[in-house]
Amino acid sequence: MANKEMEVAKGVDLKRYMGRWYEIACFPSRFQPSDGCNTRATYTLKDDGTVNVLNETWSGGKRSYIEGIAYKADPNSDEAKLKVKFYVPPFLPIIPVTGDYWVLHLDDDYSYALIGQPSRNYLWILCRQPHLDEEIFNQLVEKAKGEGYDVSKLRKTPQSDTPPEQEGPEDTKGIWWFKSLFGR
């Protein structure tokens, strides 16, 4: 099933997609602290049509973050296939790292989304609120499974009932990046 072509959302209104999204679950990756909580992404549409991406997580009481840019992989396509570019290490942004960000499912109200990419190594369930109804969560897991994802790797992200609204104390720039190399 992994060779099946993924179905990607079509006709996504980028303006409606902008704003804050909370990570409900994801495949663990070396790019995020293993003890991260209150993880979220904030998207802001820029005048040139690209999207500013701010990914934040809290680990050990400190805020870690990375900023990047997203853009349509094919400006002429109606599919919600984006590319996301970050520069690493964050304290010396010289190496661009580009990844795929495919919106596999988005509800009509733009309140929850399933995000993946063609290798099926990364998967995210996002919601506008820090918590998602369990029935909807299970439906999204089934959608991911139907797209060939090994959903046994999916881990729920701890979210507070009242997530931090302020930036909070920062991890020293670069430390998070170095920790990510070791999956911490």
Side-chain angles (χ1 to χ4, degrees), residues 26-146:
C26 70
F27 281 3
S29 77
R30 62 187 176 122
F31 301 110
Q32 289 181 259
S34 59
D35 66 343
C37 63
N38 295 315
T39 304
R40 63 193 186 194
T42 305
Y43 306 122
T44 308
L45 191 60
K46 297 168 67 171
D47 290 338
D48 64 1
T50 62
V51 176
N52 186 71
V53 176
L54 172 62
N55 289 340
E56 302 170 280
T57 194
W58 274 256
S59 174
K62 295 190 184 235
R63 173 182 170 258
S64 299
Y65 70 95
I66 190 165
E67 287 190 79
I69 297 293
Y71 52 92
K72 285 198 70 158
D74 177 357
N76 299 316
S77 173
D78 194 30
E79 291 184 312
K81 292 181 179 179
L82 293 108
K83 293 281 188 184
V84 181
K85 184 188 303 184
F86 296 99
Y87 287 91
V88 293
F91 58 87
L92 184 63
I94 56 172
I95 302 169
V97 176
T98 304
D100 292 298
Y101 182 106
W102 290 11
V103 180
L104 304 178
H105 178 77
L106 178 64
D107 78 307
D108 293 338
D109 293 332
Y110 286 61
S111 59
Y112 55 87
L114 180 66
I115 310 300
Q117 44 77 263
S119 74
R120 294 172 175 83
N121 290 327
Y122 300 96
L123 183 70
W124 294 269
I125 293 177
L126 304 178
C127 184
R128 295 289 189 175
Q129 303 298 318
H131 303 287
L132 180 63
D133 177 81
E134 196 66 23
E135 185 177 328
I136 294 170
F137 175 81
N138 291 333
Q139 290 170 4
L140 292 172
V141 169
E142 286 303 311
K143 282 187 182 297
K145 193 175 180 180

